[in-house]
Amino acid sequence: MIRVNLYDQLNRRGASMPRWATWLVMAASFVVGIALFLVAASLALILIPIVAVAGAIAVWRLKAKLKAAGFDRAADPFGGQARPAERIEIIDAEYRIIEPGEPPRR
């Protein structure tokens, strides 16, 4: 843990730095800030198109795989199953109770 004793320095005059050194430190920090900004901007200019192209290729391949699997988004999946509204379909089935111990019917 860092402790700073402020009461010890209240009665003293703060350490002064020559004016030229202050200007030099400010100029150096400005140059470092500009350099970091330029590095970040150049990386962004390089990486954004690469990521966009890679994403477009991934979407294209995914669409091709989904289309090959039968999930074509352009085609209507329920288009071939359209039924007229007046047609009524009745499903007929045979129901029976299976008693315990009865052999399964094949």
Side-chain angles (χ1 to χ4, degrees):
M1 177 163 59
I2 299 173
R3 294 183 183 209
V4 178
N5 189 358
L6 296 175
Y7 298 109
D8 188 31
Q9 298 178 0
L10 284 177
N11 294 333
R12 292 190 205 166
R13 184 171 176 251
S16 63
M17 194 182 226
R19 189 170 288 237
W20 63 270
T22 305
W23 281 102
L24 186 64
V25 168
M26 286 192 314
S29 63
F30 180 73
V31 167
V32 168
I34 293 295
L36 287 174
F37 174 77
L38 289 176
V39 167
S42 64
L43 279 175
L45 285 175
I46 292 170
L47 291 179
I48 288 174
I50 291 173
V51 169
V53 168
I57 290 171
V59 167
W60 176 62
R61 291 184 68 194
L62 180 65
K63 282 185 180 180
K65 286 185 180 189
L66 286 175
K67 190 173 184 180
F71 295 104
D72 190 9
R73 192 171 175 188
D76 184 13
F78 302 108
Q81 299 177 0
R83 296 183 183 140
E86 68 273 0
R87 183 174 174 186
I88 299 173
E89 292 186 9
I90 299 173
I91 300 174
D92 190 18
E94 176 186 339
Y95 297 98
R96 67 183 190 96
I97 298 173
I98 300 174
E99 298 292 331
E102 183 180 341
R105 185 175 160 189
R106 293 183 189 219

